Amino acid sequence: MSRRIIVSGLAAVAVLGAAGAYAFVAQASEDGPAVKDSSAEYVAPATGHDGSISFTTRVTDDSGVRSVKVLAWPGSMKPAPTAKEMSAVESAMCTAAAGDGAATCRYTAKVSGTDAATAPRGTWHVAVLVTAKDGDTVFVPKAADFTVTR
């Protein structure tokens, strides 16, 4: 799979946007994983250089974090992606804190000039699917937002 974020079953899309951050807290249940302090940052491509999108979040679960799947999707896309579609997307790299079940997870993807030129303008969202080591999951369809302006 390329270093692009894809919308499974819909179309390949590059993640683009003006620098932006959005804090969001989600918890599936009292014992399930929690996602918080999420942010997304966009660096536009320049002549001869790719740009990038970076997403960072803090994930906690008392059993630890098994995986964090990340998907950027344009706000104009209807319907929003589902948790089931997240199985085909790339994973963030997570660094676990010592002993507290928390991890800081980061995902970065390159954005080419062609990707930037063809991406839908407006608000984009970053969806996150977290799977804990004990199998509990939480899906956050709008963990972070950013805006594509050009």
Side-chain angles (χ1 to χ4, degrees):
M1 183 178 291
S2 72
R3 290 287 304 173
R4 284 185 177 189
I5 299 171
I6 63 165
V7 177
S8 176
L10 299 174
V13 292
V15 181
L16 303 173
Y22 179 82
F24 190 91
V25 177
Q27 191 162 341
S29 70
E30 234 174 80
D31 298 320
V35 177
K36 52 185 154 181
D37 302 328
S38 300
S39 64
E41 181 180 11
Y42 171 70
V43 175
T47 304
H49 300 285
D50 287 333
S52 66
I53 180 70
S54 297
F55 172 77
T56 303
T57 193
R58 182 166 166 78
V59 180
T60 58
D61 187 81
D62 56 1
S63 72
V65 178
R66 179 183 306 153
S67 71
V68 176
K69 300 284 193 161
V70 178
L71 172 73
W73 57 281
S76 61
M77 185 180 84
K78 303 292 183 217
T82 65
K84 183 177 180 179
E85 292 171 314
M86 297 293 288
S87 65
V89 301
E90 294 182 8
S91 296
M93 297 297 296
C94 297
T95 305
D100 67 354
T104 300
C105 302
R106 293 180 178 86
Y107 180 85
T108 301
K110 290 182 182 179
V111 178
S112 72
T114 301
D115 293 334
T118 60
R121 303 301 183 244
T123 301
W124 282 63
H125 310 290
V126 179
V128 178
L129 176 65
V130 175
T131 303
K133 287 184 178 178
D134 63 7
D136 288 345
T137 62
V138 65
F139 175 58
V140 183
K142 295 181 183 178
D145 294 334
F146 57 93
T147 304
V148 174
T149 59
R150 59 175 191 121

